[in-house]
Amino acid sequence: MWVNNIMFKYEEGSPTHVVMIDFQGSAFVSLGLDVNYFLAMSPSPHVLMNKKEELIEKAYFLGLKNTLEKHAFKMIPSLSDIKGEVK
């Protein structure tokens, strides 16, 4: 983390919002890579063993679908597409 990875929004000369970014780690990759990375790094083994499908469908797919629809994205992948990429 360093100062060039932090963006500030100012209103009337005072910071009102901050966002941390890392362009060096950005890439256009398969959705499956994102999901597999999340599953490998975030949930506990118990949650991963018992809730993997639910995490993929409800936490990832529905959130992605809603966000893409909100921004009028036309090519929304199906749940089946995502599961295929994860596999």
Side-chain angles (χ1 to χ4, degrees):
M1 175 60 71
W2 64 308
V3 71
N4 287 350
N5 290 89
I6 305 172
M7 295 180 68
F8 295 92
K9 177 181 178 181
Y10 287 87
E11 292 180 8
E12 299 178 11
S14 297
T16 59
H17 192 74
V18 63
V19 176
M20 290 176 257
I21 57 171
D22 184 3
F23 292 118
Q24 187 174 352
S26 298
F28 183 78
V29 297
S30 161
L31 298 173
L33 185 62
D34 280 344
V35 175
N36 281 313
Y37 183 80
F38 167 77
L39 293 174
M41 304 304 278
S42 298
S44 69
H46 172 76
V47 170
L48 186 57
M49 287 175 53
N50 296 298
K51 301 288 185 175
K52 181 179 176 181
E53 294 299 314
E54 187 175 341
L55 287 171
I56 292 171
E57 183 175 344
K58 294 183 179 173
Y60 186 82
F61 172 69
L62 291 179
L64 175 66
K65 182 176 180 274
N66 290 339
T67 300
L68 294 176
E69 286 174 346
K70 178 181 173 183
H71 294 286
F73 193 81
K74 302 284 186 232
M75 297 173 50
I76 299 173
S78 68
L79 178 58
S80 177
D81 292 335
I82 291 171
K83 286 184 176 182
E85 290 290 316
V86 168
K87 187 175 181 182

